[in-house]
Amino acid sequence: MTRKSERLSDLVRMLNLIPYFESHPDHSLMEAARDLGRQPQEIRDDLNRLWCCGLPGHMPHELVDMEVDFRRVQITNSQGLDQPLRLTRTEAGALLLTLESLENVPGLINRGAVVSAASKIRGIMGEETAAVYDSIGTDLPAESDTVEDLREALESGRKLAFDYRSVSSDSCRRRAVSPARVFTNEGAIYLTAWDESVDPAPEHRTFRVDRMSGTEILPEEAHPHAAELDFDARDPFGYSGVDLQADLLIRPDATWLADYYPIELGETTPSGMVRAMMPVGSIDWFLRFALGQSDRIAVNGPSTLLEALRRRAELAARAYDEPSSHPAGG
């Protein structure tokens, strides 16, 4: 999700607290957290930010006013912001696409709620949902067998085998894993599983479903080690726990890379480049990334990455001077 989308999501989430607490004037922060699936402190933080929301002019009498403690939230002046925000037709269509994708996700905790929400949107949008069905109709069949095997493996508690094309190692090999959980991120479906083939010690690995093929449910019982699975929905790939961080300089017209890779943008340097930090989970993958984007980024550190990048670049340049093993014209 881009920063612009995150800010809009934050605003919608905060404003929707006003009609919620007006409809539930006696609910505590703990009760609201239960209803909304959030932490009490997160709701308290959003309420504190609502003090600065209101009508144009932003004088004290034009801002939202309320009385807040952990036992009760009373909205004393909503400034007219007392109606839940409504979806545009475009937003409703996008939400319906997401819900229909979730309907096919194996291991979903409350699939009934997803199906119910999708049905309500279809009922509101009517015939306009036909375009939604058509837009995904060609995408689902290619994944349906894989998704069905994932669902069955999770429900039966058995191991799953598949061929996996790894972007980090630029290779493809057969895997046999114990599925632990499935989640979605930016429209893609991922499987987290216990992989006993990891060297030097077995651990949980994450696999992107659209890079899996040839799935097969094995007769062996799965051992997903669920108690050892530390999953954070805000950081599903564990980037915050990666020790190696690349210090980058990015051209201003290439900062869009931060929308597709885990790059944290910083200040602009006097030369006009933008400082950035990027977690490096796989050095091989990062070297391919840095060389492929060498016209857009410069690696500024640390020294271990600079040395590895220099060696890789020298090997690539040397290949141009070595005679080819292929016959001319072959």
Side-chain angles (χ1 to χ4, degrees):
M1 181 182 292
T2 64
R3 285 172 174 77
K4 182 178 180 180
S5 298
E6 289 177 348
R7 288 194 295 269
L8 179 59
S9 176
D10 289 344
L11 177 62
V12 171
R13 186 186 65 243
M14 286 189 299
L15 293 179
N16 278 336
L17 288 177
I18 296 176
Y20 170 84
F21 281 111
E22 287 200 328
S23 299
H24 306 85
D26 297 322
H27 275 203
S28 66
L29 288 182
M30 282 68 73
E31 289 172 316
R34 179 201 61 202
D35 291 346
L36 301 175
R38 301 175 57 201
Q39 294 297 318
Q41 187 58 49
E42 292 176 342
I43 295 178
R44 180 65 179 265
D45 291 342
D46 279 350
L47 289 171
N48 287 336
R49 294 164 70 184
L50 278 172
W51 291 103
C52 303
C53 296
L55 301 177
H58 301 291
M59 299 300 290
H61 65 281
E62 296 168 322
L63 300 178
V64 171
D65 197 11
M66 67 191 82
E67 296 178 6
V68 179
D69 59 41
F70 275 91
R71 295 169 298 176
R72 187 169 181 266
V73 176
Q74 183 177 8
I75 307 295
T76 56
N77 189 346
S78 68
Q79 297 294 355
L81 303 175
D82 54 356
Q83 295 296 319
L85 298 183
R86 298 185 178 184
L87 296 173
T88 65
R89 294 194 178 278
T90 300
E91 292 170 335
L95 178 58
L96 181 57
L97 276 173
T98 302
L99 290 170
E100 289 177 336
S101 175
L102 285 174
E103 287 180 7
N104 294 309
V105 173
L108 195 64
I109 295 176
N110 192 347
R111 187 172 182 272
V114 172
V115 173
S116 174
S119 298
K120 290 178 180 177
I121 293 179
R122 291 190 194 104
I124 294 171
M125 296 184 68
E127 294 182 357
E128 296 181 28
T129 58
V132 175
Y133 299 141
D134 292 343
S135 68
I136 64 173
T138 58
D139 295 333
L140 286 179
E143 285 188 354
S144 59
D145 291 342
T146 299
V147 170
E148 186 60 37
D149 285 345
L150 276 174
R151 180 183 294 114
E152 184 176 341
L154 281 164
E155 292 177 353
S156 64
R158 292 157 64 189
K159 287 186 176 181
L160 184 72
F162 51 87
D163 296 315
Y164 189 71
R165 179 175 57 84
S166 173
V167 173
S168 61
S169 63
D170 193 24
S171 63
C172 181
R173 69 182 180 89
R174 192 74 175 168
R175 308 285 187 112
V177 301
S178 296
R181 69 167 294 136
V182 171
F183 65 93
T184 60
N185 185 69
E186 297 185 353
I189 303 175
Y190 294 86
L191 166 70
T192 299
W194 183 258
D195 189 347
E196 298 180 357
S197 67
V198 177
D199 185 39
E203 64 180 10
H204 284 108
R205 287 290 177 91
T206 299
F207 306 94
R208 184 162 158 162
V209 171
D210 59 4
R211 295 176 186 152
M212 298 165 54
S213 61
T215 53
E216 177 189 1
I217 301 174
L218 302 178
E220 294 90 350
E221 180 182 356
H223 299 284
H225 294 253
E228 303 173 29
L229 183 60
D230 185 16
F231 183 82
D232 183 353
R234 294 168 297 183
D235 182 26
F237 305 109
Y239 289 133
S240 60
V242 176
D243 294 329
L244 184 58
Q245 300 281 326
D247 182 2
L248 306 176
L249 293 173
I250 303 180
R251 278 175 30 189
D253 61 348
T255 52
W256 54 265
L257 289 168
D259 292 333
Y260 297 92
Y261 300 96
I263 296 174
E264 184 70 26
L265 299 176
E267 75 279 3
T268 301
T269 67
S271 65
M273 298 290 278
V274 178
R275 290 194 174 277
M277 299 298 294
M278 181 180 187
V280 180
S282 167
I283 292 180
D284 281 343
W285 178 90
F286 176 79
L287 295 180
R288 294 197 304 275
F289 167 79
L291 290 173
Q293 303 292 341
S294 58
D295 60 331
R296 299 184 177 98
I297 70 173
V299 181
N300 205 36
S303 58
T304 52
L305 286 181
L306 288 173
E307 179 60 23
L309 192 59
R310 182 189 63 80
R311 291 196 304 267
R312 181 65 63 88
E314 287 180 349
L315 287 173
R318 194 180 308 157
Y320 285 98
D321 299 327
E322 296 176 352
S324 172
S325 60
H326 298 287

